């Protein structure tokens, strides 16, 4: 009797779900909804809006969250993710399946905001320029960096050539990437098998890279040990900003929306976004040795505390996520865990000279190099990205820690979304992270191979040479200098002979809207 009741109940639920799907065709796969969230939610990171909050904000800004792929606005909250890079062998067969079976699997922004609507595995898709060309898309999307591909951009990004790149990222052989996210690799493997079955010989696997949130208390922290994803911008039409969180118009992330820096786009490209993917290896034992060997010497600090302070000043945050601007000598985990406080700073303080004071946060600190806040007046809102990556590779082994030498690759599967690569990722890397000096009087524009862009880092400072970003700054494998790290002697230069973050290559992609997937890209 119990078995019969169970079967009858399952049948009734299946019929009920079928009825809902028929009435609401945008609601997918209701029979396999989950009980726990697909996403992680570390306390220091800004919360995602509730579905009702997001829909109200989107309605006010005329955004359609049901047409925007889910990964773009969500940020660094993935538990497990697989990047499946592919080439297109048969465009006709691929387009037929893209507009039907694959489109039905794509996860929207709205779906990810509630456990009740999250799929077992979230699926997004993006295409390189070669992929769009393979699909016979000839429209100019208005981004020359995307058109040329990341390999051509490697010198401007500070890569020492491409000898260290993973070979599959070379030669423009990647047409697209599936992004599959879930809470288990089993779920991801199952969804990938479904996709491969649907597409069959229409695609060929080029490469795959698996990432995962770090275990236990390290969830949300990158491999150097620092909480990540705190300084995300708030998107007008999606997020409710926390104190100190910069509000940025949607057009800086979504093509065709308000404040899109490029005036002319193809109509079908609206609500798509450019995805900058980089595989960034992290030399964790070597980084740890550097901070142990170079502790900040200050009264009241042990050597261990001095080393922790040096690492925090290189990042601009303690490992907990507390900003050094608000906690200049010691970590403050309580502050870190409060998203209403941990981003509520701008480097300026009453009675302190913003042009010269580095006792709190160095001019060269990673979070200041990539988001200068009050160092620009008015505060810059045009050079922002939404970061949506996660760590890859194993934890540091005891042998690696003992030898201070990396034996197994680990790092960050870096993902950044923007509507213009030239003012987003490319700009932040080339013009700010890799720029060791300021220009005075301020030079507002300089030319690179693609466009004229602002080229100065923060200007009006007493230190004309704050140096490279000590974490992601790149100098084609040459040594880098960094000043401001020692609060007792801010003019002191540190020479970094090792790049603790090393490029293993990547590609630029376009993540289209769901309507574009079902329409232009499948036609």
């Amino acid at each position: 009797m119990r078995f019969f009741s169970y079967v009858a109940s399952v049948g009734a639920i299946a019929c009920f779900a079928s009825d809902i799907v028929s009435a609401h065709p945008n609601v997918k796969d209701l029979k396999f909804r989950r009980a726990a969230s697909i996403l992680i939610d570390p306390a220091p990171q800004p919360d995602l809006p509730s579905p009702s909050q997001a829909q109200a904000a989107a309605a006010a800004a005329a955004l359609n969250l049901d047409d925007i792929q889910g990964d773009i606005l969500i940020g660094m909250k993935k538990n497990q993710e697989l990047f499946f890079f592919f080439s297109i062998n048969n465009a006709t067969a691929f387009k037929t399946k893209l507009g039907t079976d694959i489109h039905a699997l794509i996860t929207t922004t709205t779906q990810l905001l509630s456990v009740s609507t999250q799929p077992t595995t979230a699926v997004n898709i993006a295409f390189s320029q070669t992929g769009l060309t393979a699909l016979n898309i000839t429209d100019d999307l208005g981004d020359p960096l995307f058109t040329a591909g990341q390999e051509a951009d490697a010198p401007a990004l500070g890569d020492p050539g491409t000898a260290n790149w993973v070979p599959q990222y070379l030669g423009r052989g990647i047409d697209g990437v599936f992004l599959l996210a879930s809470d288990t690799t089993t779920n991801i493997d199952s969804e990938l098998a479904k996709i491969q079955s649907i597409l069959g010989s229409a695609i060929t696997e080029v490469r795959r890279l698996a990432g995962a949130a770090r275990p236990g208390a390290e969830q949300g922290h990158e491999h150097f040990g620092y909480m990540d994803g705190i300084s995300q911008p708030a998107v007008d039409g999606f997020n409710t900003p926390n104190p100190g969180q910069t509000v940025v118009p949607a057009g800086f992330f979504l093509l065709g929306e308000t404040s899109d820096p490029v005036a002319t786009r193809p109509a079908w490209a609206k609500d798509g976004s450019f995805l900058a993917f980089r595989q960034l290896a992290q030399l964790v034992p070597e980084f740890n040795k550097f901070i142990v060997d170079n502790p900040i010497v200050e009264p009241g600090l042990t050597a261990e505390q001095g080393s922790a302070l040096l690492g925090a000043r290189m990042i601009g945050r303690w490992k907990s996520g507390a900003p050094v601007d608000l906690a200049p000598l010691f970590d403050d985990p309580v502050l870190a865990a409060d998203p209403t406080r941990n981003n509520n700073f701008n480097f300026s303080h009453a009675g302190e000279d913003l042009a010269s004071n580095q006792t709190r946060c160095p001019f060269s600190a990673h979070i200041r190099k990539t988001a200068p806040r009050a160092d620009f007046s008015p505060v810059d809102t045009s050079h922002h990205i939404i970061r949506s990556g996660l760590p890859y590779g194993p934890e540091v082994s005891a042998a690696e820690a003992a030898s201070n030498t990396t034996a197994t690759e680990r790092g960050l599967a870096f993902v950044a979304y923007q509507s213009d690569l030239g003012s987003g990722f490319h700009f932040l890397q080339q013009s700010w992270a890799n720029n060791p000096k300021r220009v005075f009087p301020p030079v507002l524009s300089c030319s690179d191979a693609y466009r004229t862009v602002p080229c100065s880092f923060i200007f009006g400072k007493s230190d004309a040479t704050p140096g490279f970003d000590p974490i992601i700054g790149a100098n084609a494998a040459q040594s880098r200098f960094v000043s401001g790290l020692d609060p007792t002697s801010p003019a002191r230069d540190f020479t970094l002979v090792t790049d603790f973050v090393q490029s293993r290559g990547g590609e630029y992609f376009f993540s289209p809207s769901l309507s574009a997937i079902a329409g232009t890209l499948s036609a």
Side-chain angles (χ1 to χ4, degrees):
M1 180 63 71
R2 289 178 181 175
F3 177 75
F4 175 82
S5 299
Y6 174 77
V7 172
S9 298
V10 170
I13 291 170
C15 290
F16 177 65
S18 178
D19 289 342
I20 294 177
V21 171
S22 298
H24 303 280
N26 290 329
V27 179
K28 306 164 189 172
D29 199 22
L30 282 176
K31 290 181 287 185
F32 302 100
R33 291 303 171 202
R34 49 179 50 255
S37 178
I38 196 173
L39 304 173
I40 64 171
D41 189 25
Q45 293 183 359
D47 289 332
L48 292 173
S50 68
S52 60
Q53 289 172 330
Q55 290 300 337
L63 283 185
N64 183 0
L65 300 181
D66 293 321
D67 202 32
I68 299 168
Q69 291 201 60
D71 196 52
I72 298 171
L73 301 179
I74 294 300
M76 305 183 74
K77 293 182 177 290
K78 270 75 66 70
N79 191 327
Q80 304 272 341
E81 185 167 25
L82 179 69
F83 301 89
F84 181 82
F85 302 95
F86 63 89
S87 61
I88 298 172
N89 303 321
N90 184 325
T92 301
F94 180 87
K95 290 201 286 186
T96 297
K97 295 297 186 180
L98 178 66
T100 53
D101 297 15
I102 298 300
H103 176 266
L105 299 178
I106 303 301
T107 308
T108 69
T109 302
T110 301
Q111 283 179 277
L112 287 179
L113 294 178
S114 173
V115 175
S116 66
T117 54
Q118 289 175 354
T120 302
T121 300
V123 179
N124 275 193
I125 190 172
F127 298 94
S128 67
Q129 177 61 70
T130 59
L132 293 183
T133 300
L135 297 179
N136 199 31
I137 303 298
T138 59
D139 295 320
D140 182 359
L141 296 187
D143 195 307
L145 292 165
F146 168 74
T147 301
Q150 192 177 122
E151 185 177 352
D153 202 25
L157 299 177
D159 289 10
T162 56
N164 197 44
W165 277 37
V166 173
Q168 289 89 342
Y169 298 135
L170 296 170
R172 309 203 71 180
I174 295 174
D175 291 332
V177 58
F178 281 103
L179 295 81
L180 299 97
S182 191
D183 50 358
T184 71
T185 56
T186 300
N187 288 341
I188 290 174
D189 291 344
S190 176
E191 194 73 4
L192 177 60
K194 182 191 300 184
I195 291 170
Q196 290 177 303
S197 176
I198 290 169
L199 293 173
S201 62
I203 65 168
T204 295
E205 176 180 346
V206 176
R207 174 170 173 74
R208 65 177 73 186
L209 180 68
R214 295 182 60 209
E218 293 303 306
Q219 188 180 84
H221 298 248
E222 48 70 55
H223 274 297
F224 292 138
Y226 297 86
M227 177 59 70
D228 210 348
I230 299 175
S231 299
Q232 297 277 33
V235 181
D236 185 26
F238 181 63
N239 306 84
T240 300
N242 288 327
Q245 193 175 15
T246 304
V247 180
V248 180
F252 285 107
F253 310 111
L254 299 168
L255 277 66
E257 295 292 350
T258 302
S259 298
D260 182 347
V262 177
T264 303
R265 307 279 200 182
W268 65 266
K270 183 179 180 181
D271 287 337
S273 186
F274 291 109
L275 187 170
F277 175 85
R278 297 272 277 174
Q279 183 173 330
L280 300 176
Q282 294 178 257
L283 304 186
V284 179
E286 292 83 350
F287 174 84
N288 290 339
K289 184 177 190 306
F290 176 80
I291 62 174
V292 167
D293 289 348
N294 296 277
I296 300 298
V297 178
E298 190 161 320
L301 295 184
T302 65
E304 183 178 4
Q305 290 170 329
S307 293
L309 179 58
L310 174 62
R313 288 177 66 83
M314 292 171 73
I315 297 286
R317 292 187 184 272
W318 296 90
K319 289 191 174 183
S320 70
V324 295
D325 193 60
L326 300 180
L329 279 180
F330 299 100
D331 198 356
D332 186 344
V334 175
L335 165 63
D338 186 350
T340 68
R341 298 172 58 212
N342 64 21
N343 217 24
N344 193 18
F345 64 94
N346 65 5
F347 306 122
S348 68
H349 296 268
E352 298 179 5
D353 183 10
L354 184 63
S356 62
N357 192 305
Q358 299 187 76
T359 58
R360 294 176 180 270
C361 185
F363 299 147
S364 60
H366 171 60
I367 69 164
R368 195 166 185 173
K369 270 281 197 175
T370 53
R373 302 186 187 224
D375 291 322
F376 280 127
S377 183
V379 173
D380 174 76
T381 59
S382 59
H383 301 107
H384 285 271
I385 55 177
I386 297 175
R387 293 175 297 127
S388 194
L390 77 171
Y392 71 89
E395 296 294 295
V396 173
S397 69
E400 288 175 304
S403 65
N404 301 309
T405 303
T406 297
T408 303
E409 183 177 331
R410 63 186 54 81
L412 179 69
F414 175 86
V415 173
Y417 289 100
Q418 59 267 286
S419 62
D420 178 46
L421 290 159
S423 60
F425 161 71
H426 171 94
F427 176 89
L428 296 176
Q429 184 69 56
Q430 181 193 42
S431 299
W432 284 354
N434 296 354
N435 186 351
K437 60 185 178 181
R438 67 173 176 86
V439 179
F440 190 83
V443 176
L444 298 180
S445 65
C446 63
S447 296
D448 63 15
Y450 300 99
R451 64 186 72 214
T452 298
V453 296
C455 65
S456 296
F457 181 53
I458 52 177
F459 35 75
K461 302 299 185 186
S462 59
D463 185 354
T465 54
F468 291 81
D469 181 322
I471 305 300
I472 67 166
N475 191 29
Q478 303 301 305
S479 64
R480 301 169 292 143
F481 72 89
V482 182
S483 68
L485 296 182
D486 186 346
T488 68
S489 180
R492 171 190 171 193
D493 282 349
F494 284 69
T495 300
L496 307 179
V497 297
T498 299
D499 288 339
F500 302 118
V501 175
Q502 299 185 354
S503 168
R504 300 281 280 133
E507 185 55 283
Y508 295 142
F509 298 94
F510 179 66
S511 181
S513 67
L514 273 77
S515 57
I517 292 171
T520 300
L521 299 182
S522 300

